[in-house]
């Protein structure tokens, strides 16, 4: 088994350290130069040396909200192409949403996805189980069977749809509490968003497009944090998109309610002004909101009201986006640009330091999803799940170079900072010098 010496990186953006990987674990970390391999021929000794001066070494990123599309929509993405995209973006673990075809609402389907992840190995794939049968919101799925399965499901979500029936949501919270599971709610009151095409506001009025009112998200979040308090369980809120949602989560946390929340990279950067272009790449659920919402989300991620960044990586083939706005599919790819968008919106603006990025994109998502071995400290004895980032890089986003099967990125042609140079999954480089293994 070769050893890998990562020399001269700033660990978590702090002091410069050398990190020695032996097999699947970190053997040692020490101040620059204190791990001495001088006098030995690295190749002869089977030691690969990575000169990482100026780079940041983070724990491997964890995405709690990824759509891998397999089974059923392999034209958009597969577990192979999606996990290659994840490794390109610095991820060592992703949680795969259940809105596949068939829906991941049985032990059989979640085990199929889990096995595909093991087979391809670009990152760990943790299937998310549907809360209700067929994502229909009417009957609880086999939550226990999915948890007991080889996939060991702990996160349950009907993402794409809302668990809008309060009794069903209460029973789901009660059921998963028994084994420490968590329900991740896609907060969208369905009747308030019938025919919705974009954020309800000034722009939707001017364009004459059906509005997706903030209250359709906020009313569900308000209900669910109270249900979680009533049941005495935890609850996770997917893709917060409004300032009002931030206030409700902040209030719930101040009451001691065990709620966690995520924000996507696109909701940290983009607003509904982009819809004026009628370019369907900007069509997403929940929709892009206003500048005021963007700023509230950034502040909330900085102060910890929002716990994590989750990509909501939603790949769609060209034909599902290359059509008029009303008919276009909703969603954006995000795995390969997430860290750059977070650096641009949070680090380069002084709202978060790199230790904060590690917290929001690795430590906390791993904790919420119980991703064993991920989100661990960069220290001796820990699994070598690591991401090396060159923060000084600047480049234009070119989807032609994406590992994802899909190209529906809202950042095409935009200059973003930062580049993941290496990703290590238990000591094995899945990305080496920017190239997938
Ligand atoms: N986020 C999106 O815009 N799309 C998601 C599902 C969803 O949340 O609608 C998808 O699976 O494509």
């Amino acid at each position: 088994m070769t050893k890998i010496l990562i020399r001269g990186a700033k660990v978590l953006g702090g002091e410069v350290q050398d990190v020695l990987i032996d097999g699947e674990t970190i053997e040692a970390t020490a101040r620059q130069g204190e791990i001495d391999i001088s006098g030995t021929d690295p190749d002869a000794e089977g030691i690969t040396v990575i000169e990482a001066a100026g780079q940041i070494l983070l724990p491997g990123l964890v995405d709690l909200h990824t759509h891998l599309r397999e089974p059923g929509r392999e034209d958009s993405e597969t577990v192979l192409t999606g996990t290659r995209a994840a490794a390109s973006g610095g991820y060592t673990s992703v949680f795969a949403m259940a809105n596949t075809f068939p829906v991941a609402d049985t032990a059989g389907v979640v085990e199929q996805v889990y096995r595909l992840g093991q087979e391809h190995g670009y990152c760990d794939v943790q299937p998310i189980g549907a809360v209700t049968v067929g994502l229909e919101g009417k009957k609880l799925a086999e939550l226990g069977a999915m948890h007991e399965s080889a996939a060991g499901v702990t996160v349950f979500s009907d993402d794409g749809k809302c668990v809008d029936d309060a009794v069903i949501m209460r029973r789901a919270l009660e059921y998963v509490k028994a084994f420490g599971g968590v329900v991740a709610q896609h907060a969208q009151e369905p009747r308030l968003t019938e025919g919705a095409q974009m954020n309800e506001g000034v722009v939707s009025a001017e364009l004459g497009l059906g509005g997706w009112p903030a209250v359709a998200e906020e009313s569900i979040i308000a209900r669910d944090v109270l249900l979680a308090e009533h049941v005495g369980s935890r609850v996770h809120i997917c893709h917060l998109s409004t300032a009002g949602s931030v206030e409700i989560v902040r209030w719930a946390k101040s009451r001691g309610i065990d709620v966690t929340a995520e924000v996507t990279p696109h909701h940290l950067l983009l607003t509904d002004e982009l819809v004026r272009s009628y370019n369907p790449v900007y069509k997403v659920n929940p929709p892009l909101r206003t500048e005021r919402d963007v700023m509230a989300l950034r502040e909330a991620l900085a102060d910890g009201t929002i716990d994590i960044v989750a990509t909501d990586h939603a790949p769609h083939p060209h034909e599902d986006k290359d059509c008029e706005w009303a008919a276009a599919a909703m969603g954006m790819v995000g795995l390969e640009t997430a860290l750059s968008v977070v650096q641009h919106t949070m680090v380069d603006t002084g709202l978060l330091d790199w230790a904060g990025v590690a917290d929001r994109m690795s430590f906390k998502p791993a904790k919420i999803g119980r991703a064993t071995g991920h989100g661990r400290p960069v220290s001796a004895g820990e699994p070598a799940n690591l991401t090396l980032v060159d923060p000084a890089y600047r480049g234009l986003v070119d989807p032609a170079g994406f590992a994802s099967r899909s190209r529906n990125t809202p950042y095409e042609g935009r200059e973003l900072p930062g580049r993941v140079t290496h990703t290590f999954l238990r000591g094995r480089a899945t990305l080496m010098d920017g190239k997938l293994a």
Side-chain angles (χ1 to χ4, degrees):
M1 182 74 79
T2 62
K3 292 191 176 187
I4 298 172
L5 174 65
I6 302 172
R7 194 144 58 182
K10 281 190 171 184
V11 174
L12 297 185
E15 64 175 43
V16 174
Q17 294 191 6
D18 293 345
V19 173
L20 186 63
I21 298 170
D22 182 5
E24 295 194 0
T25 55
I26 297 170
E27 180 177 317
T29 64
R31 262 200 291 279
Q32 169 89 51
E34 288 183 356
I35 293 180
D36 181 5
I37 59 164
S38 63
T40 59
D41 168 359
D43 295 336
E45 289 291 306
I47 296 179
T48 303
V49 179
I50 293 168
E51 296 300 348
Q55 297 193 49
I56 309 282
L57 187 64
L58 300 170
L61 305 185
V62 175
D63 189 21
L64 206 65
H65 192 145
T66 297
H67 296 276
L68 292 180
R69 302 300 195 214
E70 188 176 10
R73 283 304 307 263
E74 291 82 354
D75 56 325
S76 307
E77 199 76 280
T78 64
V79 171
L80 173 60
T81 58
T83 54
R84 283 168 60 87
S88 292
Y91 287 89
T92 54
S93 169
V94 299
F95 285 70
M97 278 294 178
N99 64 336
T100 49
F101 300 90
V103 166
D105 57 10
T106 65
V109 180
V110 294
E111 284 186 343
Q112 175 188 358
V113 175
Y114 183 69
R115 274 195 302 275
L116 283 166
Q118 289 186 307
E119 184 185 318
H120 296 309
Y122 279 93
C123 71
D124 286 348
V125 174
Q126 177 52 55
I128 289 174
V131 177
T132 64
V133 175
L135 308 183
E136 290 175 3
K138 296 189 174 54
K139 183 169 176 290
L140 283 189
E142 311 168 356
L143 309 182
M146 290 189 277
H147 176 67
E148 297 302 321
S149 76
V153 175
T154 54
V155 181
F156 297 87
S157 181
D158 278 4
D159 183 70
K161 297 267 190 72
C162 178
V163 181
D164 62 305
D165 180 313
V167 171
I168 296 280
M169 186 62 177
R170 174 181 176 171
R171 285 174 46 213
L173 291 169
E174 286 168 341
Y175 196 107
V176 304
K177 177 183 175 185
F179 52 74
V182 64
V183 175
Q185 175 70 291
H186 170 108
Q188 176 180 353
E189 213 298 322
R191 286 156 295 278
L192 284 172
T193 51
E194 268 169 22
Q197 293 289 320
M198 68 169 292
N199 176 48
E200 180 178 287
V202 170
V203 180
S204 66
E206 286 176 17
L207 300 184
L209 288 174
W212 202 124
V215 69
E217 172 176 305
E218 295 156 3
S219 56
I220 292 290
I221 296 173
R223 179 201 77 177
D224 285 357
V225 295
L226 291 172
L227 279 174
E229 183 181 53
H230 181 74
V231 169
S233 73
R234 61 184 178 131
V235 68
H236 179 75
I237 310 296
C238 296
H239 40 49
L240 248 62
S241 70
T242 77
S245 296
V246 167
E247 284 175 48
I248 292 163
V249 170
R250 192 169 281 136
W251 168 81
K253 288 190 169 190
S254 70
R255 259 171 85 99
I257 297 172
D258 191 356
V259 55
T260 54
E262 71 188 38
V263 63
T264 69
H266 46 274
H267 286 110
L268 287 173
L269 179 57
L270 309 176
T271 73
D272 60 357
E273 287 294 329
L274 289 164
V275 179
R276 294 182 188 281
S277 68
Y278 285 106
N279 181 342
V281 79
Y282 301 121
K283 187 175 182 181
V284 65
N285 190 15
L288 301 178
R289 304 285 187 180
T290 66
E291 193 63 19
R292 174 178 165 269
D293 295 308
V294 166
M295 291 307 154
L297 292 166
R298 291 188 188 181
E299 288 296 330
L301 185 63
D303 72 23
T305 300
I306 292 178
D307 304 81
I308 67 171
V309 173
T311 67
D312 194 4
H313 176 80
H316 291 289
H318 187 66
E319 57 273 17
D320 288 3
K321 279 286 191 180
D322 186 26
C323 52
E324 49 105 22
W325 181 275
M330 291 186 282
M332 309 170 164
V333 289
L335 285 167
E336 297 175 85
T337 49
L339 196 51
S340 292
V341 174
V342 170
Q343 179 181 339
H344 176 61
T345 56
M346 300 300 292
V347 179
D348 293 356
T349 56
L351 287 170
L352 266 186
D353 59 14
W354 283 103
V357 172
D359 181 70
R360 307 303 194 272
M361 298 186 79
S362 182
F363 297 144
K364 284 249 187 68
K367 182 166 181 271
I368 294 167
R370 307 282 193 269
T372 312
H374 296 275
R376 300 296 302 157
V378 182
S379 45
E382 294 291 352
N385 291 317
L386 297 165
T387 300
L388 198 52
V389 187
D390 173 5
Y393 174 84
R394 294 289 179 277
L396 301 184
V397 175
D398 176 8
F402 280 1
S404 173
R405 176 157 284 179
S406 292
R407 300 283 178 269
N408 54 309
T409 174
Y411 313 115
E412 181 166 8
R414 184 187 280 247
E415 183 181 272
L416 286 176
R419 187 171 71 95
V420 176
T421 61
H422 298 72
T423 308
F424 298 95
L425 178 62
R426 284 182 290 280
R428 181 172 54 83
T430 53
L431 185 75
M432 193 73 160
D433 287 326
K435 293 183 185 59
L436 283 164

